Amino acid sequence: MAESYFQQTARAFCRGVFAEKYGNRHKCMNVVQTPATLECLTFDEVDDTHFACIRHDLEISSTYQLYLDAKSEGDCAAMRIFVTSLIVLVLSTAGAQGQGKRPGKKPGEVITRADFSQGGFGEDHLEVGKAAPTFTLKWFKPTTAPLDEAKNPSLALGTISLEELHTKKPAVLIFGSMTCPPFKGQLEAIDAVYAEFSDRAEFLFIYIREAHPDSILTVVNSEQQEKLLKIGQAGSHAERIDTAAVCQRSMKLRIPIAIDSMENKTSRDYAGWPNRCVVVGTDGQVLYKSKVGASSTNAQQLRKWLSDNLRT
């Protein structure tokens, strides 16, 4: 069956947006920009690979839902709304974004383009009921007070392994970084889940490579003062440790924090970038995993799963 005008328009427009924002880093960009080649994308390709980039970059979840509705129902009217909404959103944010930038929630904050330089979301090799990948990482030793005035956060470091975590209680692993807006928006609630369930599970926030490096965010410095800070992609493990300490201090987190290696091995093993939740049982097997993607960390969903599955 031939595609409708609205389907063709939506595909063509999405293709144009991808070309403008992401250059040749995705397979759909290997086609010459001419009207004769607008058939290069299928809806499945947009849904599963490319639209996720725009959804993450612009956080246009309502438009994404219109897209899904139009795709499932074949509704031309909904497709028209989807295309119009996406055009309006892209045009309205173009000036603020500059070179892929957009304003943050607080004055002076800037969110940069997502860093897909290492292959994007990655492949999910985790299976519920199968062994979870092992790891040993540096971490901030648990303390009754937040990590604060230490000029050298590495002085508070120890090492922690997955085996140590799940010896007596299930281990809840939270992957993310401070520059991932959807994740940062869930961190306070995740910390509350930790406080609520820490008697039934061990928790570990694994700080991974930045989702939006070079973003400018409001942080709390070592003198406990708020300031704007440009958070780059760490060039060394020490830099990543420092950023994790800034995140802990700025968000007033109680949940223990570990720091992924510069090879990003743990993040890759768990498909944890840009954020994700995984629960590992005392037998070392995966009990729960959230989806892979930009909005994979949901405190409410995690709380419900823990309530339903962990005994008091």
Side-chain angles (χ1 to χ4, degrees):
M1 179 183 295
E3 289 185 329
S4 71
Y5 165 78
F6 297 106
Q7 290 172 331
Q8 293 174 6
T9 302
R11 286 201 295 123
F13 182 75
C14 284
R15 183 176 183 277
V17 171
F18 300 139
E20 177 69 22
K21 294 178 66 60
Y22 299 105
N24 291 318
R25 281 182 286 171
H26 298 291
K27 62 183 178 180
C28 69
M29 294 302 97
N30 295 326
V31 183
V32 179
Q33 297 284 331
T34 65
T37 60
L38 294 181
E39 69 276 8
C40 67
L41 283 179
T42 67
F43 275 114
D44 286 339
E45 285 176 327
V46 174
D47 186 22
D48 297 338
T49 305
H50 306 105
F51 197 87
C53 301
I54 290 181
R55 185 188 180 197
H56 189 200
D57 214 23
L58 298 179
E59 296 180 334
I60 49 177
S61 57
S62 60
T63 303
Y64 183 67
Q65 189 58 53
L66 288 173
Y67 164 77
L68 293 179
D69 292 343
K71 178 182 176 182
S72 62
E73 300 294 332
D75 187 334
C76 290
M79 185 64 74
R80 185 198 296 270
I81 295 172
F82 157 67
V83 175
T84 303
S85 299
L86 187 53
I87 290 173
V88 170
L89 281 164
V90 171
L91 292 178
S92 65
T93 57
Q97 287 183 12
Q99 297 298 315
K101 299 177 181 178
R102 56 190 166 91
K105 289 186 176 181
K106 294 184 177 181
E109 289 190 333
V110 176
I111 307 300
T112 60
R113 178 181 298 174
D115 180 8
F116 288 92
S117 62
Q118 296 193 26
F121 300 144
E123 296 184 26
D124 182 13
H125 298 294
L126 296 183
E127 294 184 39
V128 173
K130 300 292 185 180
T134 61
F135 60 78
T136 299
L137 299 171
K138 295 288 186 181
W139 75 328
F140 297 140
K141 297 174 183 178
T143 175
T144 55
L147 191 70
D148 48 12
E149 290 84 1
K151 298 296 183 181
N152 183 3
S154 64
L155 295 177
L157 286 179
T159 58
I160 188 68
S161 68
L162 177 63
E163 290 81 0
E164 291 175 283
L165 276 178
H166 69 63
T167 298
K168 297 181 179 179
K169 294 183 285 187
V172 180
L173 308 178
I174 310 295
F175 295 84
S177 70
M178 193 176 187
T179 58
C180 180
F183 177 72
K184 188 168 181 277
Q186 290 288 318
L187 255 180
E188 183 177 348
I190 286 291
D191 204 49
V193 173
Y194 160 69
E196 181 179 350
F197 289 92
S198 58
D199 61 330
R200 284 173 270 176
E202 299 290 350
F203 284 72
L204 190 64
F205 167 17
I206 301 177
Y207 200 95
I208 61 177
R209 70 182 182 91
E210 301 298 332
H212 293 253
D214 296 329
S215 290
I216 299 173
L217 301 178
T218 302
V219 302
V220 175
N221 63 19
S222 58
E223 283 73 39
Q224 302 301 308
Q225 297 174 334
E226 280 197 352
K227 59 174 288 188
L228 289 170
L229 179 67
K230 182 178 181 179
I231 300 176
Q233 197 67 273
S236 67
H237 200 234
E239 288 182 17
R240 185 171 287 174
I241 290 169
D242 287 345
T243 305
V246 169
C247 179
Q248 184 187 53
R249 184 170 56 236
S250 301
M251 302 293 294
K252 296 181 173 60
L253 299 177
R254 295 162 292 180
I255 184 173
I257 302 179
I259 301 90
D260 199 9
S261 68
M262 293 307 293
E263 294 75 29
N264 305 305
K265 185 179 186 305
T266 308
S267 175
R268 292 180 186 276
D269 287 346
Y270 283 81
W273 189 91
N275 63 86
R276 197 179 196 189
C277 298
V278 177
V279 181
V280 178
T282 54
D283 58 359
Q285 296 185 352
V286 176
L287 298 178
Y288 167 85
K289 62 176 186 174
S290 64
K291 64 182 182 178
V292 173
S295 302
S296 300
T297 302
N298 185 299
Q300 184 176 358
Q301 292 177 4
L302 179 61
R303 176 181 282 108
K304 184 179 187 309
W305 189 93
L306 293 173
S307 296
D308 293 344
N309 292 275
L310 297 188
R311 292 177 293 179
T312 56

